Amino acid sequence: MELTFTSRPAVTAAVTKGAARVMADLGYAPLLEVRLPNGRRADVMALGPRGEIAICEVKSSVEDFRCDRKWGDYLPFCDAYFFAVAPEFPTDILPVEPGLIVADGFGGAVVRPHTPSPLAPARRKALTLAFARLGALRATGV
C-alpha cells in the first residue's frame, strides 16, 4: 500500500483518520484534537471498553518527528501511547518504547504493541470525565 500526498496536512489528516479507525477497531472510542491538562494536544485520544485511555501522536514526516520531542509529555495522561505514521515513514527512527500504528486514510494496523503504564485512579477519573464532557459537547455542536 503506497500513498502519495502533496502536502504534510494531507498526510496528517489521512494518518489521523486511519489511527482513529484502528482505535475503533480495537474497541476504543476515539476523539481527535484533545487538549490535555498540561496544555498539550493529543492528535487522537481514545477511551477503551474497560476505561483505559490511549493516545496516538501522529507524525507526518521525518522532520515533524525530529522537530517535535514533546512525546514524553503525553505519557502521564494515558495507559497506552502510540506513534501513528504513514506506511512510507521510516519507522526505525522512532523510539521503541511507544506502540506503533501504521495507517492511511482507510485504516491501519498496530505493528508494535504499547507498553502498559496504568494511570492512577484519580487521574483516570478526571480524564474520563473530561473526555466524556468533550465528546458530548462535540456531539451536540455546542
Side-chain angles (χ1 to χ4, degrees):
M1 163 176 36
E2 184 173 324
L3 299 175
T4 303
F5 295 104
T6 57
S7 70
R8 200 164 117 183
V11 173
T12 300
V15 174
T16 300
K17 183 177 182 180
R21 286 182 172 176
V22 168
M23 297 310 298
D25 289 346
L26 293 173
Y28 287 76
L31 287 176
L32 308 182
E33 304 280 332
V34 177
R35 176 93 33 212
L36 299 174
N38 65 355
R40 297 288 186 209
R41 181 195 43 79
D43 294 321
V44 180
M45 186 172 183
L47 185 63
R50 293 180 193 86
E52 63 274 34
I53 296 173
I55 291 177
C56 301
E57 175 68 4
V58 173
K59 291 296 158 204
S60 60
S61 68
V62 172
E63 296 77 27
D64 179 23
F65 171 70
R66 290 192 175 140
C67 293
D68 181 2
R69 295 294 185 168
K70 67 183 187 300
W71 68 271
D73 294 347
Y74 297 97
L75 300 178
F77 301 99
C78 61
D79 300 292
Y81 182 83
F82 296 88
F83 281 114
V85 298
E88 55 276 352
F89 191 95
T91 59
D92 58 320
I93 69 169
L94 297 170
V96 296
E97 299 89 0
L100 178 60
I101 294 172
V102 175
D104 61 19
F106 303 100
V110 174
V111 297
R112 185 175 61 228
H114 70 281
T115 302
S117 180
L119 287 169
R123 178 162 282 182
R124 177 183 316 285
K125 181 178 179 181
L127 288 169
T128 301
L129 181 59
F131 185 91
R133 290 178 51 77
L134 177 61
L137 289 169
R138 286 184 182 178
T140 58
V142 176

